[in-house]
Amino acid sequence: MFGWKKKLNDLNDLTAQLRPDLSRESLGVGPDFPGVAPNPLLSSDARKRNAELRTGALALGVLVDWREVNGNPRVVLMFDVETASGISFRGIADEDLTITELTRLAPGQTLPVRYRPAVMDHYVALARDADPAHVRQLSDEIASRKRT
């Protein structure tokens, strides 16, 4: 248990050296972001986080960029997220996408995402199960707030 923060920092530094495109600075999230897991299936924290995100609060994310991880269909998506309560932040989604979904990605796309309001750690997940009527209502609410 001793020195676990140092080991975590060393792992994050190693990840930044091996994949500078996945560093905190490159993703635009700052020093408080816990980092992208090398393999979320092997991390119990990542599995728990993904389960919480699937039931999180709905928000809208504008796709900024994406990075493939290890040549798999696994992709790190970067969003500028706007919540129903008016909070904006840079969100990172770690998703497995099909080839079809990958070819449809374009910067500037607005997609529904889920986040954890209690944690606010930059992690989001695509809200594939979101009700289109609820997404439209959220979009209208955010748009009306921006006009005023």
Side-chain angles (χ1 to χ4, degrees):
M1 290 294 242
F2 295 107
W4 68 271
K5 284 189 177 183
K6 181 181 181 330
K7 289 179 185 176
L8 184 61
N9 286 338
D10 291 345
L11 178 64
N12 288 332
D13 291 341
L14 179 62
T15 302
Q17 289 174 1
L18 295 174
R19 288 293 306 266
D21 59 325
L22 296 178
S23 71
R24 289 175 176 84
E25 294 77 24
S26 176
L27 296 174
V29 290
D32 294 334
F33 182 62
V36 176
N39 185 349
L41 299 177
L42 298 178
S43 166
S44 63
D45 290 337
R47 286 193 303 273
K48 180 181 171 194
R49 178 186 67 237
N50 288 342
E52 290 173 359
L53 283 170
R54 298 292 173 215
T55 60
L58 191 63
L60 291 180
V62 176
L63 185 63
V64 176
D65 198 4
W66 66 92
R67 314 279 164 82
E68 290 185 44
V69 180
N70 299 333
N72 294 334
R74 184 171 157 229
V75 179
V76 174
L77 304 165
M78 291 174 280
F79 292 99
D80 284 334
V81 179
E82 182 86 23
T83 69
S85 60
I87 299 171
S88 298
F89 63 94
R90 172 67 50 95
I92 305 296
D94 191 345
E95 298 283 341
D96 289 328
L97 301 178
T98 65
I99 298 300
T100 305
E101 291 171 323
L102 275 172
T103 59
R104 293 181 180 160
L105 289 179
Q109 273 182 306
T110 301
L111 300 168
V113 296
R114 296 198 182 276
Y115 71 104
R116 300 178 297 172
V119 181
M120 293 302 290
D121 60 357
H122 296 285
Y123 284 114
V124 298
L126 289 176
R128 298 169 192 239
D129 63 338
D131 178 30
H134 191 127
V135 172
R136 201 171 316 110
Q137 177 186 4
L138 178 64
S139 177
D140 292 343
E141 182 180 327
I142 290 171
S144 69
R145 187 176 42 247
K146 287 185 178 181
R147 282 183 286 219
T148 56

